[in-house]
Structure formats: structure tokens, C-alpha cells
Amino acid sequence: MKLDGFGILVEDMAVMIRFYRDVLGFEIKEDENALNVFLEKDGTLFFLYRRTDFEKMTGQSYSYVTGLNGHYEIALSVSNYAEVE
């Protein structure tokens, strides 16, 4: 198994883009109104998804901790997805 990447489900995309770009030094080509942002750092893929867009994409509603801008999703690469189920 290999860590492929992880996603951050964000409430305020503009704030998170500025943080990852300006504070942590990620190169981000998308603007602050982007629906999804894909970043790569040291071989690991980072995804920023707006919470509402992620819910539309998955067809589900989720609960989030109040007062935090981001929740996390970890993506692991496995050789056989059927075995995970």
C-alpha cells in the first residue's frame, strides 16, 4: 500500500489557497474561485475540495466540526480495491 494523497474538505477555498500558497509555499495555478485544487509536494498529491462540491460529487451529506476550515480525507493506493471492501 502506498500513500497516494490526501484531500482537505474546505469551507472557504480562498482562505485555504492563500494559506497553502503564501504560507506553505505550494505552487497553485488555480484562482481563489476554483472548485477543486490539486497540489503536489514531495511526491504526495494534495486535494482541496469545497465541502459543498465534494458532497455533490459523492451524492452524500456530511457533518463537520464547527469552527474549522478544513476536514481531511486520506487516499491510499491499493493493488486490489475489491479486497478493501
Side-chain angles (χ1 to χ4, degrees):
M1 182 170 24
K2 172 185 174 277
L3 175 63
D4 219 17
F6 68 92
I8 304 169
L9 308 177
V10 305
E11 186 173 355
D12 189 330
M13 184 67 80
V15 167
M16 294 302 271
I17 286 176
R18 287 192 298 269
F19 174 74
Y20 279 89
R21 182 189 61 213
D22 303 340
V23 176
L24 297 181
F26 282 78
E27 183 179 331
I28 299 176
K29 296 179 181 168
E30 292 87 358
D31 65 27
E32 294 183 2
N33 294 318
L35 296 178
N36 301 315
V37 176
F38 301 92
L39 318 162
E40 188 172 342
K41 183 84 168 171
D42 300 327
T44 301
L45 191 58
F46 293 70
F47 315 94
L48 299 180
Y49 298 108
R50 260 192 202 91
R51 293 175 184 174
T52 53
D53 296 328
F54 188 75
E55 290 179 356
K56 286 178 192 172
M57 183 174 63
T58 62
Q60 297 186 43
S61 295
Y62 301 94
S63 298
Y64 303 99
V65 175
T66 57
L68 295 178
N69 191 20
H71 270 69
Y72 299 89
E73 163 212 3
I74 297 174
L76 299 171
S77 179
V78 296
S79 58
N80 185 341
Y81 291 104
E83 289 180 1
V84 175
E85 294 297 325

